[in-house]
Amino acid sequence: MMGKSFMPRFESLDELKAFQLEGLKWTVNHAYQNSAFYRKRFNDAKVKPDKIKSLADIKYLPFTTASDLQEGYPFPLRSVPFDQIVRIHASSGTTGKRKILCYTAKDIDDWANMFARCFEMAELNKEDRVQIAVGYGLWTAGVGFQLGCERFGAMAVPVGPGNTEIHLQMLIDLQSTVFCSTASMALLMAEEIERRGIKDKISLKKVILGAERHSERMRRRIKESTGAEHVFDIPGLTELYGPGTGLDCSLHQGIHYWADFYILEILDPETLEPVPDGEVGEMVVTTLKKEGSPLIRYRTRDLTRLIPEPCPCGNILPKHDRIMGRSDDMFIFRAVNIYPSQIDHVLSGFEEIGSEYQVHLYHTEDGRDRMIIKVERASGLSVARDGEIAQMISREIRKQILVRGEVEIVDYGTLPRTARKSKRVFDHRTDLFSEEG
Ligand code: ZN
């Protein structure tokens, strides 16, 4: 076997919970003593650290949001003196200021261990060659993959994002066995491997996808074209160290998350109360060990659900489902809340179309909303079947999402592909309102 394990040693969930309670108490005290922001936030909520006597008492703690991080720019949530900070990372704000997070040496060390655990969960060994296709720099992804890979003891091949040519060359020359990227990048590679007919020249076994939601269909496509046996889903956000806060095991029945590093609450984004076990809500995280920028009930805006059943793999770490979108990505169409992942899900059921799609929303003159879903005809399929296929998809959308959407089939390869995240929902309804002034 591989020797050192990065898995926690808990024998039971009770032991894990006792550990979480200690971590929660430590975090609350640490933040209260050392961060003016948290102290004020606690005082405003009339909560003192000694209020926390059990895990359930987390409900008394105030929330933290992305705007708190932006308002505290450039060092929000900082809870240690500057001489203890060894690195910062930032997350791109789509609007306004970036969110910058501080790391102490111990935070970096913890993160490497968390990431090494991901590779252990994916059942890598030290012979594996891990080709990293995500970015390096202010954004955390690349360096996290590399630290974790080195800590684990496999060989890191740090190529970075984009640059398909070098990636293909490395896959062939170095015989990389693991490929880490966004879903769009992996799909781009899959198409290139297919186009050049080099599948039998590479040795990919595992693909680890992060940073972007992806459908079952995309995973299937990536596996077929690259020959990889497993596609893993790595969640993570910069506020919470970065990627590497959990991973699905080889059974792929949900993402085991590192509950000894953070507490995950799933709350209704409107009421901020816990949703019933197993229902979808917003992920709210509280760190248990983070020194530089601890998080207390941080609202991630990511949607998922807990998977209450124990995993057949036997690992005691609890699971959440795939990220089902952002509470901000949700769009309302004819009074129905729709998450892009629901559209993904419907489209995944059709072999006749490609994996790229776009949703366009319009407001028509008679005051009704109109949804047009653009999908690509599968390569090699006849245009003559477009009408029939569009109707089938439309029927399925009505059945599964309970809304009427029109489907437009476009030529294969015409929807934009990028190595980074693809924008899929285009809401033109507001354009029209602003034109009408
Ligand atoms: Zn498992």
Side-chain angles (χ1 to χ4, degrees):
M1 254 295 281
M2 59 189 57
K4 182 178 171 132
S5 171
F6 296 91
M7 292 293 167
R9 293 207 189 86
F10 306 114
E11 302 275 317
S12 68
L13 281 180
D14 284 341
E15 267 181 59
L16 172 61
K17 283 179 181 163
F19 184 86
Q20 285 185 323
L21 179 58
E22 284 316 301
L24 178 61
K25 285 179 176 171
W26 177 84
T27 297
V28 167
N29 270 296
H30 170 62
Y32 188 82
Q33 301 302 333
N34 300 306
S35 149
F37 165 81
Y38 276 124
R39 193 159 49 246
K40 178 170 190 314
R41 191 48 70 83
F42 276 52
N43 288 339
D44 289 349
K46 299 192 166 48
V47 191
K48 288 275 186 293
D50 62 10
K51 182 88 178 168
I52 301 296
K53 297 200 161 49
S54 73
L55 283 180
D57 295 335
I58 197 169
K59 65 172 183 258
Y60 300 118
L61 299 176
F63 291 94
T64 317
T65 63
S67 51
D68 291 327
L69 269 79
Q70 286 167 333
E71 279 161 28
Y73 188 87
F75 294 105
L77 314 187
R78 181 175 64 89
S79 302
V80 294
F82 281 107
D83 64 2
Q84 290 181 31
I85 297 171
V86 300
R87 194 197 292 171
I88 60 103
H89 278 296
S91 106
S92 51
T94 40
T95 54
K97 292 187 174 118
R98 297 198 163 89
K99 295 170 270 180
I100 298 184
L101 286 302
C102 319
Y103 297 68
T104 65
K106 180 179 177 295
D107 292 337
I108 298 281
D109 193 56
D110 282 344
W111 188 30
N113 286 329
M114 292 165 83
F115 229 122
R117 185 188 288 175
C118 293
F119 293 127
E120 183 175 342
M121 186 63 92
E123 298 177 35
L124 268 62
N125 62 52
K126 293 187 175 190
E127 302 292 315
D128 273 303
R129 298 173 179 189
V130 182
Q131 192 161 320
I132 301 162
V134 286
Y136 284 73
L138 263 187
W139 331 125
T140 48
V143 66
F145 279 91
Q146 179 161 346
L147 273 177
C149 177
E150 291 168 357
R151 177 68 52 95
F152 178 80
M155 182 200 292
V157 183
V159 180
N163 218 330
T164 323
E165 274 320 311
I166 296 185
H167 273 295
L168 290 168
Q169 194 190 338
M170 292 291 153
L171 282 179
I172 295 172
D173 294 354
L174 298 188
Q175 294 288 293
S176 303
T177 53
V178 181
F179 189 78
C180 308
S181 74
T182 60
S184 312
M185 177 70 188
L187 206 60
L188 205 68
M189 292 291 291
E191 291 184 348
E192 229 19 63
I193 288 167
E194 217 170 68
R195 203 173 63 78
R196 302 185 188 198
I198 53 172
K199 183 174 163 183
D200 59 348
K201 292 197 172 67
I202 63 173
S203 298
L204 261 191
K205 293 187 176 64
K206 287 159 189 173
V207 175
I208 298 178
L209 300 182
E212 191 184 31
R213 282 179 307 102
H214 47 271
S215 61
E216 189 51 50
R217 161 179 209 87
M218 283 168 96
R219 278 189 289 278
R220 224 164 40 219
R221 178 81 201 280
I222 291 164
K223 278 200 273 190
E224 280 165 14
S225 309
T226 63
E229 294 144 33
H230 290 280
V231 173
F232 295 94
D233 197 356
I234 195 164
L237 70 164
T238 308
E239 295 90 315
L240 185 61
Y241 299 91
T245 51
L247 198 84
D248 44 341
C249 62
S250 296
L251 299 175
H252 307 294
Q253 295 174 9
I255 294 164
H256 288 280
Y257 68 91
W258 309 160
D260 50 337
F261 284 90
Y262 62 100
I263 292 173
L264 175 60
E265 296 176 89
I266 305 288
L267 306 182
D268 181 316
E270 296 291 319
T271 65
L272 297 177
E273 293 292 325
V275 299
D277 241 15
E279 285 187 18
V280 175
E282 183 177 323
M283 302 174 84
V284 174
V285 294
T286 301
T287 55
L288 301 173
K289 306 180 183 186
K290 211 161 176 269
E291 297 178 336
S293 310
L295 299 180
I296 294 178
R297 301 197 93 193
Y298 180 69
R299 296 190 56 188
T300 66
R301 307 284 167 179
D302 283 330
L303 298 164
T304 192
R305 59 181 202 99
L306 288 176
I307 299 177
E309 303 80 28
C311 191
C313 78
N315 193 306
I316 200 168
L317 287 164
K319 289 192 298 189
H320 63 73
D321 211 334
R322 291 204 159 85
I323 308 298
M324 300 175 180
R326 313 245 322 142
S327 45
D328 317 326
D329 279 350
M330 186 194 79
F331 58 92
I332 301 178
F333 176 71
R334 298 190 185 172
V336 178
N337 295 356
I338 301 177
Y339 300 109
S341 55
Q342 293 176 283
I343 310 256
D344 278 359
H345 184 74
V346 173
L347 298 179
S348 295
F350 290 88
E351 292 296 332
E352 296 88 348
I353 52 173
S355 39
E356 293 292 329
Y357 71 93
Q358 288 184 346
V359 177
H360 292 264
L361 302 166
Y362 299 95
H363 199 67
T364 59
E365 279 172 15
D366 59 1
R368 288 176 65 84
D369 280 359
R370 201 171 156 211
M371 172 163 65
I372 297 180
I373 301 160
K374 289 189 183 181
V375 295
E376 290 182 352
R377 186 182 314 113
S379 86
L381 207 72
S382 158
V383 183
R385 293 190 57 201
D386 281 3
E388 170 210 345
I389 293 163
Q391 261 189 8
M392 286 194 309
I393 297 173
S394 185
R395 255 201 311 274
E396 206 51 34
I397 283 176
R398 186 154 171 75
K399 200 169 112 194
Q400 293 191 30
I401 314 180
L402 309 175
V403 293
R404 205 180 283 277
E406 299 155 57
V407 176
E408 188 183 318
I409 313 254
V410 300
D411 289 341
Y412 184 77
T414 49
L415 294 179
R417 284 149 173 75
T418 59
R420 295 171 190 280
K421 299 185 193 189
S422 303
K423 178 175 166 66
R424 303 202 197 282
V425 179
F426 300 81
D427 196 340
H428 310 284
R429 295 175 298 191
T430 43
D431 308 349
L432 197 62
F433 287 136
S434 56
E435 268 169 39
E436 285 173 348

